[in-house]
Amino acid sequence: MKRYIVLMLVFMGCGLCFFAACTSKQSEQPLIVIKNPLPIKLGDPFLLHANDGKYYLYGTSLKDGFECFSSKDLQNWDSCGQVYKGGQDGQWNKNCFWAPEVYERNGKYYLFYSANVNDSINVNQEKESFNIGVAVSNSPMGPFEDLYNRPIFTPKFPIIDANVYFDDQTGKCYLYFSRCCYQHPVNSELAIQMKKENHTYQIIEGNKDEIQESWIYGVELKSDFSGVIGPPQLLLQPPTKMNDKQAEWESRSVLYGEVNRRWTEGPFVFKVEDTYYMMYSANFYKGPYYAVGYATSKKPLGPFYKAYNNPILQKNTDKGGNITGTGHNMIINIDGQLYIVYHAYTTDDTQHRVVMIDTLTIKNEQILNIKN
């Protein structure tokens, strides 16, 4: 895709704030031209700006862990190689290494990620036994080693897509994650109606007469990341009512016969002024209808309310573009300007996910003007 966006970059180390309110003034700095998509093929991207002034990009790509790419200008990228290796003898995880996020705290770097647990933990031999772990390193380039050789905590259902929000005012931190669709059939008004419509699916999960769903939860995280405080709270789920304005776009994978599942996944929480924004993705991550919405709250654990202008990011092929399957995003604040980092497919390559960066604007607690 031949398209450019202009990023205003300020190389001020600690002066860059990731998730603070957008109150800083844009500085007069040289313009750097960025070409979308980035020359990197991975899913579930996470972009870190470290104290060394460089940007580090992580994502889903390897079968046995995670790799990283670094850049000084968000334009030219170097491979850092594999920064975390999993699935080895004695480790708690086995395979399916997904959705890494890396945070710098007190001079160390913490990598939160999803993976299938090994057979000694998966005693019931569940097909999907995903859980969330955390690894640590002295460098954003790794090597990362598991902080604890176990998941952070073990709910009674598989979970993926860890996201952490640090509240520096209260000193608390919060873990957000998605409960998988696996063995999670629902019988809401909307699910019952979709079953009555007797769709023919390309992929059948569980009973063909079931509609399975994934939901987003949040919970306070212990400061040493060794566990959680209190029970997880349900924060977002697919619409349950036929008259819900979100119902059509969040149900497209079912309505168009892709799979008998509906997703609410890939949470990412950030704060602007006194409002918490939760980004999330819906629909089949391998399909063209994967799209991004958001919800807002005045508290880190909700209640969250979905925005009326969802989806704010989706395929543009019906408008003459070549982008499809947009989803699993994160937000970064660069000198007061917010940018959305996400993966997508293009019509030039429908087999590999690529990374995109676009600007977004918030006005009156509404996310506006994402350009793709």
Side-chain angles (χ1 to χ4, degrees):
M1 170 182 166
K2 297 185 186 222
R3 183 170 57 89
Y4 295 84
I5 61 174
V6 176
L7 304 182
M8 298 292 294
L9 299 182
V10 179
F11 298 103
M12 295 179 62
C14 294
L16 175 64
C17 177
F18 277 53
F19 312 122
C22 301
T23 57
S24 61
K25 184 179 179 181
Q26 289 278 7
S27 300
E28 295 293 333
Q29 294 293 325
L31 299 180
I32 296 180
V33 179
I34 304 299
K35 181 180 179 181
N36 264 339
L38 302 186
I40 299 171
K41 295 180 180 180
L42 52 76
D44 312 325
F46 186 87
L47 184 64
L48 169 73
H49 188 270
N51 279 339
D52 63 4
K54 292 183 180 180
Y55 293 89
Y56 294 89
L57 183 64
Y58 310 85
T60 302
S61 58
L62 302 180
K63 293 182 179 181
D64 61 349
F66 302 104
E67 60 184 330
C68 172
F69 299 86
S70 67
S71 175
K72 293 181 179 180
D73 56 11
L74 295 178
Q75 179 176 224
N76 300 291
W77 294 88
D78 296 314
S79 174
C80 303
Q82 186 165 0
V83 299
Y84 174 81
K85 189 174 183 64
Q88 306 302 297
D89 289 342
Q91 287 183 286
W92 72 266
N93 49 52
K94 181 172 64 173
N95 54 28
C96 296
F97 293 89
W98 295 342
E101 297 197 355
V102 176
Y103 303 92
E104 186 174 7
R105 306 296 293 180
N106 302 318
K108 291 186 178 294
Y109 297 85
Y110 295 90
L111 183 153
F112 291 81
Y113 65 94
S114 310
N116 257 329
V117 302
N118 64 32
D119 293 338
S120 66
I121 300 176
N122 185 18
V123 293
N124 295 323
Q125 298 300 300
E126 297 287 357
K127 178 182 176 182
E128 296 183 15
S129 59
F130 307 118
N131 221 302
I132 290 169
V134 57
V136 64
S137 175
N138 292 321
S139 167
M141 295 185 292
F144 287 88
E145 301 289 341
D146 282 301
L147 187 60
Y148 309 101
N149 191 25
R150 59 171 175 81
I152 294 175
F153 76 116
T154 52
K156 295 181 179 179
F157 43 78
I159 60 174
I160 58 172
D161 295 349
N163 170 243
V164 181
Y165 176 78
F166 296 93
D167 190 333
D168 290 327
Q169 291 183 335
T170 65
K172 295 182 178 181
C173 52
Y174 300 90
L175 174 67
Y176 303 92
F177 58 89
S178 177
R179 172 181 182 166
C180 297
C181 294
Y182 179 66
Q183 294 188 1
H184 190 217
V186 297
N187 285 298
S188 64
E189 174 187 307
L190 189 55
I192 291 172
Q193 178 59 38
M194 287 189 291
K195 287 189 288 186
K196 288 181 179 179
E197 293 174 2
N198 196 28
H199 296 283
T200 300
Y201 301 109
Q202 300 172 33
I203 302 172
I204 300 294
E205 296 290 352
N207 189 316
K208 65 181 181 63
D209 296 322
E210 295 177 345
I211 300 295
Q212 299 180 342
E213 292 183 355
S214 66
W215 296 353
I216 290 175
Y217 290 77
V219 66
E220 187 177 345
L221 182 64
K222 291 182 178 180
S223 59
D224 62 359
F225 312 141
S226 63
V228 299
I229 301 172
Q233 306 296 311
L234 175 60
L235 302 180
L236 287 181
Q237 65 186 96
T240 61
K241 301 291 185 180
M242 294 292 296
N243 61 355
D244 191 317
K245 293 182 179 180
Q246 312 284 340
E248 188 277 330
W249 82 270
E250 290 195 32
S251 305
R252 289 172 183 168
S253 285
V254 172
L255 296 176
Y256 293 100
E258 287 184 330
V259 61
N260 58 323
R261 283 182 167 180
R262 295 199 302 162
W263 283 267
T264 306
E265 65 175 17
F268 184 88
V269 173
F270 67 104
K271 188 179 182 182
V272 174
E273 297 178 348
D274 64 345
T275 301
Y276 296 87
Y277 295 79
M278 178 182 285
M279 313 297 290
Y280 69 97
S281 300
N283 297 302
F284 185 36
Y285 77 98
K286 287 186 177 181
Y289 304 106
Y290 203 44
V292 172
Y294 72 101
T296 59
S297 176
K298 296 301 181 181
K299 298 179 180 179
L301 292 179
F304 280 88
Y305 300 97
K306 294 180 181 179
Y308 82 94
N309 61 329
N310 286 337
I312 57 169
L313 183 64
Q314 60 184 318
K315 67 183 181 73
N316 65 10
T317 51
D318 54 344
K319 298 179 180 179
N322 72 336
I323 299 173
T324 184
T326 58
H328 199 112
N329 73 284
M330 59 89 65
I331 306 298
I332 185 170
N333 186 326
I334 302 177
D335 189 35
Q337 172 64 61
L338 293 177
Y339 295 87
I340 182 170
V341 185
Y342 60 99
H343 74 236
Y345 294 95
T346 70
T347 54
D348 299 322
D349 184 353
T350 59
Q351 301 301 312
H352 300 96
R353 291 178 289 185
V354 291
V355 181
M356 314 282 288
I357 300 178
D358 286 298
T359 61
L360 62 82
T361 302
I362 294 180
K363 184 177 181 180
N364 298 327
E365 299 185 1
Q366 297 178 19
I367 295 179
L368 307 169
N369 301 330
I370 295 178
K371 303 298 183 182
N372 68 350

